């Protein structure tokens, strides 16, 4: 398996523009997570899905952020409109199962810069 | 929600020395405590984890200890090598949703050759 695949790896955009980040989890994993990493706040959980259903989106900072998982092999995180303070590395991660713990497999991340 | 604090934020050691990184958590219901290593510009990767039914776990030069009463857990790296230089992230999960991880802010470890 190629692991968790994220795109784009780098995105530079101007304030007010829409940003869409994409993630393909590892085949067979049924939990998917979106994290944001900054120097100041570290890794923050934004939202996670189990069997394509959003379970907890309490970490989503504002209504400008939305996430979808239309099927088991694809998820998107959208920011509209983007702001400079959204600049961060966004990681997608997947795992097998919510019960009993388990390793999170992270993608390489999408580095977002909002000018 | 859970709050995980990690110390120190940076740590420099001489090659061959030991390194210890400490984390505290707030929610006594947390029962799963993994440690991730993140090399510069790379993804976090799991290096070791511990569950609340054990107090210590070892894997070669790496060990993790857990004190449930005090709500803290630590990562110990012995005989450090330059390739151990990275950011180390501790995490804790609440209750049975073991994959709902709350991360510490990370420790940047530098091993000086």
């Amino acid at each position: 398996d190629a692991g968790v695949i994220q795109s784009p790896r780098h995105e530079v955009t101007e304030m007010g523009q829409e940003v869409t980040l994409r993630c393909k989890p590892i085949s067979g994993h049924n939990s998917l997570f979106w994290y944001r990493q900054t120097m100041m706040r570290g890794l923050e959980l934004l939202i996670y899905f189990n069997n394509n259903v959003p379970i907890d989106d309490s970490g989503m900072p504002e209504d400008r952020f939305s996430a979808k998982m239309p099927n088991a092999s694809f998820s998107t995180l959208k920011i509209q409109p983007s702001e400079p303070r959204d600049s961060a590395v966004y990681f997608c991660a997947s795992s097998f199962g919510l019960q009993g713990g388990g390793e999170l497999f992270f993608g390489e991340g999408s580095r977002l810069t909002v000018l | 929600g859970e709050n995980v604090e990690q110390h120190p934020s940076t740590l420099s050691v001489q090659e061959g020395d030991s390194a210890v990184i400490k984390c505290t958590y707030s929610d006594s219901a947390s029962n799963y405590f993994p440690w991730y290593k993140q090399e510069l510009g790379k993804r976090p990767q799991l290096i070791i984890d511990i569950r609340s039914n054990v107090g210590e776990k070892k894997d070669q030069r790496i060990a993790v200890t857990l004190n449930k009463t005090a709500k803290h857990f630590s990562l110990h790296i012995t005989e450090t090598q330059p390739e151990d230089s990275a950011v180390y992230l501790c995490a804790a999960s609440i209750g049975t949703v073991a994959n709902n991880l709350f991360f510490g802010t990370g420790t940047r470890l530098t091993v000086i050759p």
Side-chain angles (χ1 to χ4, degrees):
Chain A
D1 199 309
V4 176
I5 300 173
Q6 290 187 246
S7 65
R9 292 292 313 279
H10 301 274
E11 175 89 3
V12 180
T13 190
E14 293 187 346
M15 182 174 62
Q17 296 298 306
E18 178 180 295
V19 174
T20 299
L21 307 179
R22 298 173 178 81
C23 176
K24 181 181 186 307
I26 292 173
S27 178
H29 283 187
N30 60 359
S31 295
L32 182 139
F33 306 80
W34 283 100
Y35 284 89
R36 177 171 67 175
Q37 187 175 42
T38 61
M39 289 291 292
M40 291 297 295
R41 301 173 67 90
L43 260 178
E44 300 175 279
L45 178 65
L46 300 177
I47 185 171
Y48 73 93
F49 296 83
N50 180 242
N51 293 324
N52 312 337
V53 176
I55 303 299
D56 185 357
D57 65 355
S58 59
M60 297 286 261
E62 338 179 351
D63 291 344
R64 299 184 295 107
F65 286 69
S66 62
K68 295 182 179 179
M69 192 166 186
N71 57 63
S73 59
F74 184 66
S75 177
T76 60
L77 177 67
K78 185 176 293 186
I79 309 172
Q80 167 63 19
S82 58
E83 297 182 3
R85 59 193 169 121
D86 301 331
S87 298
V89 180
Y90 291 81
F91 285 100
C92 175
S94 71
S95 71
F96 181 69
L98 281 177
Q99 299 300 321
E103 181 176 355
L104 278 183
F105 292 84
F106 285 85
E108 292 286 4
S110 294
R111 181 175 295 276
L112 173 65
T113 302
V114 183
L115 303 174
Chain B
E2 175 64 280
N3 181 43
V4 178
E5 295 189 354
Q6 185 170 349
H7 301 281
S9 57
T10 60
L11 178 61
S12 293
V13 298
Q14 292 289 333
E15 181 177 359
D17 287 350
S18 295
V20 181
I21 303 169
K22 300 179 180 179
C23 289
T24 60
Y25 61 99
S26 60
D27 195 318
S28 57
S30 291
N31 64 353
Y32 176 61
F33 308 92
W35 286 87
Y36 283 77
K37 177 182 180 182
Q38 186 177 20
E39 297 178 354
L40 187 62
K42 301 291 187 180
R43 71 185 84 187
Q45 292 185 291
L46 180 71
I47 55 171
I48 195 169
D49 57 13
I50 192 168
R51 300 183 189 280
S52 58
N53 57 343
V54 297
E56 183 176 3
K57 183 177 179 180
K58 289 183 180 180
D59 183 2
Q60 299 183 343
R61 297 186 296 107
I62 295 173
V64 57
T65 58
L66 171 65
N67 183 327
K68 285 200 68 181
T69 302
K71 291 190 284 188
H72 67 70
F73 56 110
S74 300
L75 178 71
H76 304 254
I77 306 174
T78 59
E79 301 172 21
T80 53
Q81 301 168 3
E83 52 265 38
D84 294 331
S85 296
V87 173
Y88 290 81
L89 299 161
C90 65
S93 68
I94 293 177
T96 59
V97 187
N99 281 333
N100 185 3
L101 290 173
F102 290 83
F103 283 87
T105 51
T107 296
R108 181 173 297 281
L109 173 64
T110 301
V111 180
I112 304 167

